[in-house]
Amino acid sequence: DAKTTQPPSMDCAEGRAANLPCNHSTISGNEYVYWYRQIHSQGPQYIIHGLKNNETNEMASLIITEDRKSSTLILPHATLRDTAVYYCIALKGGSQGNLIFGKGTKLSVKP
Amino acid sequence: DAGVTQSPTHLIKTRGQQVTLRCSPKSGHDTVSWYQQALGQGPQFIFQYYEEEERQRGNFPDRFSGHQFPNYSSELNVNALLLGDSALYLCASSLAGQGRGTNEKLFFGSGTQLSVL
C-alpha cells in the first residue's frame, strides 16, 4: 500500500471549511484513498473514500487530484465536534481489513 | 441498530496472565478485524476473521490469537501478557464482497482499554 503524508496538526475556526491535505505520490492505479477520523476516547470513524473521482457524502467531500498523487478532505462547516485526528489511508480493495494508520492530522476546531 | 460492541471496556491484568476480549459486529456484518492502539499512535492491524477463519494477519506474535463464532462475533486472546501489551484494543466489523473498495469501510467499536501491570 502507498505511503501517505499528512501535516501533524491544523486549526480551523468554527463554521469555516476545514481542508485537510494528504500526499500519496506513490499511489498505484488500483489503490483507493480512505479517510477515517478518531475523536478522543472513541474508535475510528469512516468518513469517505474514493478512487479517482471526487466524492461527497453527508459528512465531507473528497477531492483527488487528476494525477492521484494527493487529495484533500473538506469538512464544509466545521463544528467543535469535528475536533479529532484525521487519517488518510491508501490501500487496494480487498486488503482484508489491513488498514495502515499513520499518525494522521490533529484537527482542532476553535470557537 | 446496535453498532459494534466490545467488552469489557476496561481491564487490568498482571504480566504473564492471559486475557480474552470480546466483540459483537454491527448487525448484518460478517467480517471482524482487530487492532491494537498504543498511546499516541495510530491503530495497528492484528488480524481479520471471515467465515470463522483468520484471513489475514499483521505483524503480531502467536501470543495473539482469535476466534470467530457462527453468529459472526469474535474473541481476541492474548497469552503471556507483557507490559508492552498495554493498549486500546479495537474491534471493527465490515461486510465482505461489496466491491468498489467498500470492503475496507470498517465500523469500529469504542475499544477495550487493557492495562498490564
Side-chain angles (χ1 to χ4, degrees), chain B residues 5-26:
Chain B
T5 58
Q6 293 186 242
S7 63
T9 55
H10 295 82
L11 201 52
I12 299 175
K13 292 285 189 178
T14 55
R15 278 182 299 173
Q17 285 190 312
Q18 178 264 344
V19 68
T20 298
L21 310 181
R22 295 177 174 80
C23 172
S24 292
K26 179 178 166 63

Side-chain angles (χ1 to χ4, degrees), chain A:
Chain A
D1 298 331
K3 178 178 166 60
T4 61
T5 304
Q6 299 177 253
S9 64
M10 292 181 65
D11 290 342
C12 178
E14 189 178 20
R16 304 297 293 267
N19 297 282
L20 292 93
C22 179
N23 182 288
H24 32 79
S25 58
T26 61
I27 196 169
S28 60
N30 61 351
E31 286 185 302
Y32 291 80
V33 178
Y34 272 76
W35 284 83
Y36 280 80
R37 73 180 181 183
Q38 189 170 22
I39 295 169
H40 184 60
S41 299
Q42 297 182 23
Q45 177 189 24
Y46 166 84
I47 302 173
I48 198 167
H49 77 280
L51 185 61
K52 52 185 177 181
N53 297 323
N54 297 338
E55 301 286 345
T56 296
N57 63 19
E58 64 280 1
M59 289 183 68
S61 294
L62 173 60
I63 308 298
I64 303 174
T65 58
E66 193 167 339
D67 63 8
R68 301 188 72 241
K69 293 186 177 183
S70 66
S71 61
T72 301
L73 179 75
I74 301 171
L75 308 179
H77 305 287
T79 71
L80 299 178
R81 288 178 293 180
D82 291 322
T83 292
V85 178
Y86 287 76
Y87 297 100
C88 169
I89 303 167
L91 76 164
K92 298 179 179 62
S95 292
Q96 298 173 340
N98 189 356
L99 274 60
I100 300 175
F101 290 84
K103 290 189 181 290
T105 295
K106 174 76 166 93
L107 175 68
S108 298
V109 180
K110 306 197 173 184

